[in-house]
Amino acid sequence: MEIGSNPLISEMQQMSLEADPNALKPTAGPTGDFESLLGDAINHVNGLQQTASELATRMELGDTSVTLSETMIAKEKAGVAFEATIQVRNKIVEAYKEIMSMPV
């Protein structure tokens, strides 16, 4: 059984690039290691969550340079990225369980 490139990961990368052109530029190509690709994606999601949290805190403290719409957009980006990460995790766990149930 050969495991090829996952269309879900490709779709997530495309959506990420549409949302933020500087986001999640793949450092590992099709022959790169999966660990670094997954680590980069998780670090990107973490960065989005930290940015959203920082903007929310600044807005709550009365910083007039931060708008409500900017904060809400950052929170939505972080939420969508987190949900996509959860879906990828679920697919990985599902694939692992399937592989482990295969007869040797």
Side-chain angles (χ1 to χ4, degrees):
M1 180 176 162
E2 184 177 329
I3 300 175
S5 99
N6 190 338
L8 178 62
I9 292 174
S10 299
E11 185 177 343
M12 283 178 46
Q13 289 174 340
Q14 183 62 35
M15 288 186 331
S16 174
L17 289 174
E18 288 172 5
D20 183 4
N22 297 321
L24 197 60
K25 292 191 177 171
T27 56
T31 59
D33 71 43
F34 181 73
E35 181 181 1
S36 67
L37 182 63
L38 190 60
D40 290 346
I42 290 172
N43 289 335
H44 176 68
V45 171
N46 186 40
L48 287 174
Q49 289 177 330
Q50 287 177 348
T51 300
S53 178
E54 178 186 325
L55 285 173
T57 301
R58 286 175 49 197
M59 191 185 80
E60 290 168 359
L61 293 176
D63 187 348
T64 57
S65 66
V66 179
T67 64
L68 176 61
S69 60
E70 180 182 17
T71 304
M72 293 304 295
I73 289 170
K75 282 195 165 284
E76 284 300 314
K77 277 185 184 179
V80 168
F82 183 73
E83 282 297 318
T85 303
I86 294 298
Q87 292 300 320
V88 169
R89 183 214 51 182
N90 291 344
K91 289 290 183 182
I92 291 170
V93 169
E94 183 181 315
Y96 176 77
K97 286 179 180 178
E98 186 176 326
I99 289 170
M100 293 308 291
S101 69
M102 290 181 179
V104 179

